[in-house]
Amino acid sequence: MILDCAIIGGGPAGLTAGLYTTRGGLENVTMFEKGMPGGQIMNSSEIENYPGVTGEITGMDLMMPWPEQCQKFGLKHEMVNIVRVTKSNDIFTIHKEDGTTVQAHSVIIGTGSSPRRVGFSGEDEFFGKGVSTCATCDGFFYKGKEVAVIGGGDTALEEALYLAKICSKVYLVHRRDTFRAAPNTVARIKRTENIELVLNSSPDEVYGDAMGVTGLRVKNNDGETRDITVPGVFTFVGNDVNNQTLIQEDGSFLCDMNKAGEVIVDISMRTSVDGLFATGDMRIAAPKQVVSAAGDGAVAALQAISYVDEKLN
Ligand code: FAD
Ligand code: NAP
């Protein structure tokens, strides 16, 4: 059987594409998601800018009902890592990690992005042993203790605020003296008493022992170092686009990409390859928001329905 549409990635973009393709009449649609559906927002301790959501809710609270809503309209979900998407004779082939393949008339890809490593000494060695990229997952381990947060964007500041509620103190280490995060979030940081700003400073080394991290050495822009005694270091320095599934055997990409590795799309989420649509954080000029990723998923789904209709009828 050839799928009408294969959806790669089950974040807000992929799930919304699943909802709209199935509800819009495509019969055989499978969403391939390597983990639990919901995407990276599942790691967020708080979301306050999704329309209609007022109370204090976590990313997981927001995303939990989405898969069930899609399944109601017939979306199938397979938990598998997709290693490659190829196209020949007008048919896409989805290559799964176990070596098997599935064919599809159209593909909507929304594999999102992953946390970037900062690059300081000890970061890899202590990853999972005191160095973390997820406050909701690991913050509780540092209840009543001091931690450091690296970064100056929305993620770093929001997660610093979350950690400040659990931990006795949060050192917010940022390489400049102004923040990229939303002004409202910066204001909240500044009035939180147990957050100390360590500005114009970058992490130099994280160190520890067999039990885990014991401290972080930071260096300021004048070259002076400071040791911060903490058992936990949370890094939030942006994300890299997950574009690996589009890399072909000869190393080229299946469709046109920009220099940052983001998929080039038009306003209908069409890529340079007919029948292939890219959505959410992985596409050019993405606002990197749940609401925009969901919007992309809906746009791509409507396009995929027209594409498949035209192709098969
Ligand atoms: P993702 O959410 O990244 O989902 C991609 C999915 O694809 C993942 O589930 C992944 O497992 C899957 N996948 C990847 N590769 C493969 C593969 N090869 N095979 C199968 N599956 C694969 N946005 C807001 O609007 N408001 C906020 O408050 C907010 N807070 C945030 C807090 C944090 C801590 C983070 C990290 C992000 C936050 N964002 C927020 C941004 C928001 O989460 C993203 O913009 C959004 O999730 C992007 O959705 P997406 O579907 O494009 O990708
Ligand atoms: P980001 O906006 O790219 O910010 C990354 C931060 O890390 C920047 O402050 C950057 O410093 C710093 N940084 C990068 N590399 C570094 C290095 N090697 N050493 C030290 N510091 C480094 O990433 P993000 O905060 O994860 O946000 C990603 C996107 O998701 C953004 O578009 C954001 O708006 C969105 N998002 C939105 C919300 C929300 O709407 N509530 C919440 C979370 C995320 P510089 O500032 O000096 O470059």
Side-chain angles (χ1 to χ4, degrees), residues 2-8 17 21 26 29 85-94 103-110 246 254-256 263-266 268-279 297 299-312:
I2 302 176
L3 294 175
D4 284 341
C5 185
I7 297 170
I8 323 289
T21 45
L26 290 189
V29 184
V85 178
T86 55
K87 188 182 184 192
S88 67
N89 301 325
D90 222 16
I91 298 286
F92 291 94
T93 302
I94 318 303
Q103 293 191 312
H105 290 296
S106 66
V107 171
I108 299 175
I109 183 160
L246 295 172
L254 175 61
C255 58
D256 291 348
V263 183
I264 297 173
V265 290
D266 65 11
S268 299
M269 305 306 138
R270 282 186 295 232
T271 70
S272 58
V273 170
D274 276 350
L276 174 68
F277 306 88
T279 55
V299 171
L302 298 175
Q303 291 298 323
I305 293 168
S306 305
Y307 175 83
V308 173
D309 269 358
E310 223 167 274
K311 188 178 168 193
L312 300 184

Side-chain angles (χ1 to χ4, degrees), residues 243-248 250-258 261:
N243 59 21
Q244 300 86 343
T245 48
L246 295 172
I247 301 174
Q248 307 297 284
D250 65 1
S252 65
F253 282 105
L254 175 61
C255 58
D256 291 348
M257 316 285 282
N258 69 7

Side-chain angles (χ1 to χ4, degrees), residues 49 118 152-155 158 174-176 180 237-238 288-289:
N49 58 1
V118 189
D154 282 309
T155 305
E158 287 181 6
H174 178 41
R175 63 184 177 185
R176 295 188 292 129
R180 200 174 277 277
V237 296
K288 300 203 167 95
Q289 295 288 291

Side-chain angles (χ1 to χ4, degrees), residues 141-155:
F141 298 129
Y142 306 100
K143 192 171 164 55
K145 298 178 182 165
E146 298 193 350
V147 295
V149 167
I150 318 293
D154 282 309
T155 305

Side-chain angles (χ1 to χ4, degrees), residues 64-266:
M64 281 312 263
W66 292 35
E68 191 189 329
Q69 186 186 13
C70 298
Q71 277 151 21
K72 210 171 85 183
F73 296 103
L75 179 71
K76 292 181 201 75
H77 166 216
E78 209 177 300
M79 193 188 275
V80 65
N81 183 34
I82 301 304
V83 289
R84 183 168 293 139
V85 178
T86 55
K87 188 182 184 192
S88 67
N89 301 325
D90 222 16
I91 298 286
F92 291 94
T93 302
I94 318 303
H95 303 256
K96 302 188 213 171
E97 194 166 49
D98 63 9
T100 61
T101 58
V102 177
Q103 293 191 312
H105 290 296
S106 66
V107 171
I108 299 175
I109 183 160
T111 45
S113 56
S114 303
R116 194 176 289 151
R117 295 285 166 101
V118 189
F120 53 82
S121 172
E123 185 180 18
D124 290 339
E125 186 192 341
F126 286 102
F127 197 82
K129 293 180 235 154
V131 176
S132 169
T133 55
C134 180
T136 30
C137 321
D138 300 329
F140 190 74
F141 298 129
Y142 306 100
K143 192 171 164 55
K145 298 178 182 165
E146 298 193 350
V147 295
V149 167
I150 318 293
D154 282 309
T155 305
L157 270 63
E158 287 181 6
E159 297 313 296
L161 287 167
Y162 170 77
L163 287 165
K165 289 184 204 152
I166 304 172
C167 304
S168 57
K169 180 166 181 174
V170 176
Y171 297 89
L172 179 59
V173 180
H174 178 41
R175 63 184 177 185
R176 295 188 292 129
D177 62 358
T178 52
F179 293 103
R180 200 174 277 277
N184 174 46
T185 310
V186 177
R188 283 172 67 198
I189 287 279
K190 288 185 175 165
R191 56 173 189 260
T192 303
E193 280 178 7
N194 64 336
I195 296 181
E196 179 181 329
L197 300 183
V198 183
L199 301 179
N200 297 311
S201 299
S202 297
D204 194 33
E205 181 187 359
V206 70
Y207 47 84
D209 53 29
M211 301 296 289
V213 167
T214 55
L216 171 73
R217 184 166 303 130
V218 298
K219 198 181 256 180
N220 71 16
N221 294 350
D222 296 324
E224 294 157 350
T225 58
R226 171 182 173 185
D227 283 88
I228 302 174
T229 306
V230 282
V233 176
F234 290 84
T235 63
F236 305 106
V237 296
N239 291 287
D240 288 319
V241 173
N242 297 324
N243 59 21
Q244 300 86 343
T245 48
L246 295 172
I247 301 174
Q248 307 297 284
E249 253 173 331
D250 65 1
S252 65
F253 282 105
L254 175 61
C255 58
D256 291 348
M257 316 285 282
N258 69 7
K259 283 197 181 117
E262 297 158 338
V263 183
I264 297 173
V265 290
D266 65 11

